[in-house]
Amino acid sequence: MQQVLDNCENKMMKSLESLSKDFSSLRTGRASASLLDKIRVDYYGDETPINQVATISVPEARMIVIQPWDKSLLPAIEKAILKSDLGLPPNNDGKLLRLNFPPLNEDRRKQLVKSAKANAEQARVAIRNVRREAMDELKKMQKSSDISEDEQKEGEAKIQKMTDSYIAQVSSLADEKEKEIMEI
């Protein structure tokens, strides 16, 4: 039974971590180097994360500066950023790229909040699916007489408590992200 509980908690934690990653790449009004985490650059035939071929810094609240270690990568990095869904055209001065973040308008903020809520709901669904799988596993164990009915009920209660805790954490993350997006 403990293995089922541990497995359940592991999967729920992964869902929460995935949501955090999704939120970090969701553009708010502020510049953040984590927005570039999903962007891959063609580096001598390999798709390489941008942070492994360049120095990324945030000198101002609304600007990201990307300085490639190899100047010949500048066009490839620029192309990768343009192909991404950031919606920010890079300024190329021959040595580095600058991404300037315009202030978000109200409609764009609402779209981002909607996207954040959708991500949070996906995480909640994933957590509930993990709960269902764990509950089913406990029922199978009880049917095959590996655990008693009391142990099954105790395990289900623990799983439900765990689920409630992770759902609350998802809601908390979603509320924080919404506040961050709506901030002017």
Side-chain angles (χ1 to χ4, degrees), residues 73-128:
L73 280 176
L74 212 54
I77 293 173
E78 187 173 13
K79 185 177 174 185
I81 291 171
L82 287 170
K83 280 193 332 189
S84 74
D85 61 352
L86 276 180
L88 297 171
N91 297 332
N92 185 343
D93 72 359
K95 293 181 182 174
L96 46 88
L97 294 171
R98 286 185 181 82
L99 296 176
N100 291 310
F101 287 71
L104 296 173
N105 62 24
E106 193 64 26
D107 288 343
R108 182 67 179 137
R109 287 177 195 276
K110 287 179 181 173
Q111 283 178 330
L112 289 170
V113 166
K114 199 175 193 179
S115 176
K117 286 182 177 179
N119 288 351
E121 188 54 35
Q122 284 177 339
R124 285 186 195 102
V125 167
I127 288 169
R128 288 185 195 117

Side-chain angles (χ1 to χ4, degrees), residues 2-184:
Q2 190 58 44
Q3 184 180 2
V4 172
L5 293 173
D6 292 345
N7 193 15
C8 179
E9 181 148 28
N10 259 350
K11 287 180 179 179
M12 287 183 181
M13 196 172 298
K14 284 181 183 167
S15 294
L16 196 63
E17 288 168 2
S18 175
L19 178 67
S20 292
K21 254 185 206 162
D22 288 347
F23 278 176
S24 71
S25 66
L26 196 62
R27 195 179 130 207
T28 59
R30 283 192 216 113
S32 168
S34 64
L35 291 171
L36 304 175
D37 285 351
K38 292 183 179 176
I39 298 177
R40 305 250 182 239
V41 179
D42 182 22
Y43 183 59
Y44 299 110
D46 280 338
E47 291 293 311
T48 309
I50 199 168
N51 62 359
Q52 292 181 11
V53 295
T55 302
I56 301 170
S57 60
V58 184
E60 299 172 22
R62 296 196 185 277
M63 181 190 295
I64 294 178
V65 175
I66 304 161
Q67 187 167 14
W69 299 323
D70 178 357
K71 301 285 184 243
S72 66
L73 280 176
L74 212 54
I77 293 173
E78 187 173 13
K79 185 177 174 185
I81 291 171
L82 287 170
K83 280 193 332 189
S84 74
D85 61 352
L86 276 180
L88 297 171
N91 297 332
N92 185 343
D93 72 359
K95 293 181 182 174
L96 46 88
L97 294 171
R98 286 185 181 82
L99 296 176
N100 291 310
F101 287 71
L104 296 173
N105 62 24
E106 193 64 26
D107 288 343
R108 182 67 179 137
R109 287 177 195 276
K110 287 179 181 173
Q111 283 178 330
L112 289 170
V113 166
K114 199 175 193 179
S115 176
K117 286 182 177 179
N119 288 351
E121 188 54 35
Q122 284 177 339
R124 285 186 195 102
V125 167
I127 288 169
R128 288 185 195 117
N129 286 339
V130 170
R131 174 189 60 192
R132 183 180 36 79
E133 290 168 12
M135 297 282 203
D136 290 348
E137 187 68 31
L138 287 178
K139 284 178 187 166
K140 284 181 193 169
M141 290 173 76
Q142 199 272 324
K143 273 189 180 173
S144 65
S145 300
D146 291 338
I147 60 174
S148 69
E149 194 173 327
D150 288 344
E151 288 174 318
Q152 178 194 352
K153 298 288 183 204
E154 178 187 328
E156 287 177 351
K158 286 180 181 178
I159 290 169
Q160 185 59 48
K161 190 174 180 183
M162 197 184 305
T163 302
D164 293 342
S165 167
Y166 278 98
I167 297 281
Q169 289 178 54
V170 166
S171 296
S172 173
L173 277 175
D175 290 345
E176 285 175 32
K177 193 62 177 182
E178 183 177 349
K179 211 178 284 180
E180 186 181 329
I181 291 169
M182 294 310 284
E183 211 170 72
I184 295 177

